[in-house]
Amino acid sequence: MTTRTRNRVALGLAAGGLTAVLAACGGGDGDGGGSTTPPPAQNGVTKVDADLADFRITLSEKTFEPGVYDFVAKNTGGHDHALEIEGPGGENRSETVEPGASTTLRVTLKSGTYEVYCPVDGHKDQGMKTEITVGGAEAPTNEPPSPGTGY
Ligand SMILES: [Cu+2]
């Protein structure tokens, strides 16, 4: 009689790694709704330098056509200043600019006459005002209303 040894074959059960498939259902957070894209700065916008000194405003442009303008208000004075442009279409006021700083005021100009001045304190009365005419109309020679206003 022969005794047979049975070889037990250990079946290595490879623990199959369970690949947890996390099906991430991508929640579409797409449409934010009403997203406004700012217009390109260079497209159809005319840049105008506005020098705000103590107490005078100097614009780099004198004639204007109806359109969109970026007034770059630069404070070259020693006081806080701001730029306000008032005329057809209402008022446009820049933020107050500290000495040495600058800010940009975007304004859509229509045909007509605009008053450009500094709304800070009494600066307007101290000379920080000028006028611009928009449109084809020829600007009349600006004669000061009262002669000899302090230089
Ligand atoms: Cu001012």
Side-chain angles (χ1 to χ4, degrees), residues 53 55 80-82 118 120 123 128:
F55 299 96
D80 284 356
H81 295 303
C118 174
V120 175
H123 295 180
M128 292 192 73

Side-chain angles (χ1 to χ4, degrees), residues 34-68:
S35 63
T36 52
T37 48
Q42 296 279 328
N43 201 1
V45 179
T46 306
K47 192 170 278 188
V48 179
D49 290 323
D51 189 286
L52 306 180
D54 296 341
F55 299 96
R56 186 176 54 185
I57 295 179
T58 307
L59 301 176
S60 65
E61 298 287 330
K62 285 174 181 161
T63 56
F64 294 85
E65 299 282 313
V68 183

